[in-house]
Amino acid sequence: MLTRPPSWQRLSELARNPLQAFALSRNNVELWANLLIITFAVVFMLWKGATFAVTLGTVFAIWAMLSVSLNLVVGFTGLLSIGHIGFFGVGAYTVAILTSTTAYENLRTGAIPTFGWPFFAALPVAAIAAGLVALLVGIAFNRFRDDIYVLVSFGFAIISFNVFLNLRGITRGAFGIHDVARPQIGSWVFDTELELMLMAMALMVIVVGISWFIVSSSFGRVLTAIREDEQVAEVFGYHASHYKLAVWVISAMMAGVAGGMFSSWTTFIDPNSFILLESVLLVSIVILGGLATIWGSLLGALAFVLLEEGMRFLPFLPQEYVGQARQVVLGILLVLLMVFRPQGLVGRYKL
Amino acid sequence: MSKLLYRITVTAMLFGLVGLFAIACQQPEDEVFRIGVMESLTGPGETYGTVINQSKEMAVAEINAAGGIDGKQLELIVEDSKCGAQDAITAYNKLTDVDGVKIILGTSCSGAMLGAAPLAEEDGVVLFSASATSPDIEDAGDYIFRTAINDAQLGVDAGNAMWADGVRTLATINESTDYAEGVQKTSTEQFVKLGGTVVAEEKYSSDVTDFRTQLTKLFAENPDAVLLAAQSEFTGGTIVKQARELGFNGTFYSEVVPTGTTALEIAGDSATGLKAIIPSPDLETQKGKEFLDNFRTRYGYVTLPWFIGSAYDTVHIAAQCLEQTGDDQDADGFRDCLYNITWSGTIGDGYTFDAKGEVVGLSNAVVEVLPLTERTEENNGYKVLGPAPIQ
């Protein structure tokens, strides 16, 4: 099972002798099944409905960034947080406010300050804003652990939603913000679905790369130690609270980047995109994929997007019920997966 | 054991994907007109999205039973856009890309509409909503139409109505959603412009169930009347009920939601005398009455009559335009048809669409909720006092 990515050395070894790679993985049913599913999915998408497939690619990249970053906190460090959507929202709103150029005075629904920044200038600010918010709440959250941590992060999700909803002078409250700028390099505007997907994928690769670096570094090993036993880590001279705060802020910054990409992709955001339910979905993606594995989070996000959007094609149902049926089937599938594979698709740990 | 189950799950997923292939590869028949529908079938807008969808299904069934459009059947492809931008975008791309439709009836919510509108505008796909009321949609684009009346108009009418009734001091309470907040904002702006004073404002989020504290704060300012703008019937009804329990005797003014069937059931006799500014003439046309009877026969209930009537009309307008263009891929022809059409349907006679795709010729009326004993299924629980006054 590919529970962790192979090293470069191993990869080059295998490249010199492809037959050996085949022999190694011949009995690995899961690997082949996963590859087959992904191939099927990609071929299916490209055959019928390329734009739809590309859209799903963007959705996948955004969810993947969120789940990989959340896995750093939940899986590797053992802090179960369901407030991650708040950082996603901070990133989304930062990019939206900084880049939107609509003259809201003409819309009779309340004006907000507009700046008209380009996307690439706003995106780092979004990451920093999410990081700063995370630093502030993280200092307070560090006093808590285990079950209490879940509750305070729950509180954070509720608070952030209400801030987005009620800070009318900045977020425009329930009316939402339009005309969020698309990424632009010179005169090249990323305004097709394909360009946006590539952009989202590029950001995802960066996020995954950083996460990979973190978990394979000594910093990552300390995080694992904290997850396994915080006291022991302290005894060995690591300030657990510093490490926890650091990974919390890094993870929030990644969520901020995902949020920035999200608002640029939809070009319209309102507080409804950042409700607690999305956070819970996100935690289920992380658990679905497997705790403490980056591959798992990617696979979890892919499985989630394919399941949820694949349900649009559910046959044999009157059209009236397709919408509801999607939710029901998705829920049942998630429950079944949790029952039969509590460690997730490729994970090693249970929650 | 778990390995075996994992394999079973994976196999099931594979079969699912093969199934998707089979379905997606079916060639669409040429003998039908196919148009898309996006409604919030789940999520916060479910209560109205579902009935609006039912209304559209009914209209299609009627059209097809009567021989279709030029002998071709009309087919709706329904997608769930929930109430937000992300799902509206995926639903939109699924409809336009996988199903290849060029005309989409929807969405239920303004948020979803604003998410899909930039794409529709760029691709030249018509979005035609029966219920999205946000003022922001006005400028969303050339291909964006709606039969729903802009909230801004509703606010002006509400402000005028309150002023004409002699209200001089007003307290407001509204749900924190784009619709309710828009109504509150535009109504108070008009009311203040006429010379009135807003003495207190309260806002609540959609999951609140106890409003006594907020209401007590409003009543402490002794307002002549209270303006209530709700997004969900549950909160609308509960607020009216709790206000009367607290001993408030003044008049309630509201938009359409607190006059919905569920809201009136919750409020009971407390709602008596509540004045609402709602789209008119509230299915008073012959077509409207017939439609409501048919809807009740088919589904066994009627709720939000104006909005389901509006949805019903959008399908019939679409059928008319498809007959004119003769091609469901001709979005430009369909758009031009909408610009030129004059329609008499369930929600009004002789209405048209202006250059911004906004409906012209429909207006709001003031209604008053009847005492519990006089409410019947036919009068929906209220009587029409007349058109909204103009100042």
Side-chain angles (χ1 to χ4, degrees), chain A residues 81-101:
Chain A
S81 160
I82 46 179
H84 210 54
I85 206 75
F87 303 121
F88 180 61
V90 170
Y93 268 103
T94 309
V95 166
I97 293 163
L98 288 179
T99 66
S100 175
T101 49

Side-chain angles (χ1 to χ4, degrees), chain B residues 6 13 35 107 156 161 203 230 239 257 309 320 330 365 368 385:
Chain B
Y6 179 67
M13 278 172 78
I35 55 179
T107 61
V156 171
K203 297 176 195 303
I239 287 174
V257 175
Q320 171 74 30
D330 182 10
E368 186 179 325
L385 296 178

Side-chain angles (χ1 to χ4, degrees), chain B residues 19-94:
Chain B
L20 293 187
F21 262 111
I23 297 152
C25 296
Q26 283 167 357
Q27 286 304 313
E29 307 128 69
D30 288 329
E31 292 312 299
V32 291
F33 285 120
R34 292 150 66 88
I35 55 179
V37 168
M38 298 201 295
E39 299 294 346
S40 46
L41 302 175
T42 58
E46 187 189 335
T47 47
Y48 40 97
T50 312
V51 287
I52 283 172
N53 186 38
Q54 286 176 335
S55 180
K56 288 180 179 173
E57 300 273 351
M58 184 175 115
V60 170
E62 281 177 15
I63 290 167
N64 287 340
I69 305 161
D70 278 344
K72 284 186 178 182
Q73 298 276 294
L74 180 62
E75 189 190 326
L76 296 185
I77 301 162
V78 184
E79 283 301 331
D80 183 9
S81 57
K82 295 192 183 158
C83 218
Q86 185 197 317
D87 285 274
I89 290 174
T90 46
Y92 169 87
N93 278 324
K94 190 264 175 183

Side-chain angles (χ1 to χ4, degrees), chain A residues 119-120 181-185 188-191 196 199 261 264:
Chain A
F119 172 79
F120 285 110
R182 288 280 159 85
Q184 187 175 4
I185 299 171
W188 177 25
V189 185
F190 295 50
D191 55 359
L196 285 165
M199 179 72 219
M261 188 60 226
S264 181

Side-chain angles (χ1 to χ4, degrees), chain A residues 255-312:
Chain A
V257 170
M261 188 60 226
F262 173 77
S263 71
S264 181
W265 171 61
T266 59
T267 70
F268 170 80
I269 55 165
D270 65 1
N272 281 334
S273 304
F274 312 108
I275 53 177
L276 178 71
L277 184 66
E278 304 281 326
S279 229
V280 175
L281 269 181
L282 190 54
V283 175
S284 27
I285 291 176
V286 170
I287 297 172
L288 170 73
L291 291 170
T293 131
I294 288 173
W295 285 128
S297 284
L298 292 175
L299 199 64
L302 184 68
F304 172 77
V305 171
L306 285 183
L307 280 177
E308 204 203 7
E309 296 300 328
M311 294 293 156
R312 287 194 192 276

Side-chain angles (χ1 to χ4, degrees), chain B residues 350-369:
Chain B
Y351 61 84
T352 54
F353 299 95
D354 69 8
K356 287 182 163 179
E358 299 273 286
V359 67
V360 179
L362 297 180
S363 57
N364 292 310
V366 184
V367 301
E368 186 179 325
V369 175

Side-chain angles (χ1 to χ4, degrees), chain B residues 154-171:
Chain B
L154 176 63
V156 171
D157 287 342
N160 288 343
M162 290 185 291
W163 183 259
D165 283 355
V167 176
R168 292 299 174 264
T169 56
L170 179 72

Side-chain angles (χ1 to χ4, degrees), chain A residues 30 33 40 47-52 55 108-109 165 168 172 174-175 178 308 312-313 319 340-341, chain B residues 3 5-6 10 20-21 24 76 78-80 82 90 93-94 97 136 138 176-178 181 185 203:
Chain A
E30 283 90 348
F40 253 113
W47 185 352
K48 190 79 184 179
T51 310
F52 181 54
T55 310
R108 290 186 299 255
T109 40
L165 189 60
R168 293 185 181 74
R172 221 165 156 256
F175 297 116
H178 311 240
E308 204 203 7
R312 287 194 192 276
F313 300 92
Q319 297 222 307
F340 293 121
R341 243 189 116 77
Chain B
K3 198 158 191 173
L5 283 163
Y6 179 67
V10 166
L20 293 187
F21 262 111
L76 296 185
V78 184
E79 283 301 331
D80 183 9
K82 295 192 183 158
T90 46
N93 278 324
K94 190 264 175 183
D97 197 40
D136 295 2
E138 203 177 305
S176 289
T177 62
D178 51 354
E181 201 141 301
K185 197 168 166 62
K203 297 176 195 303

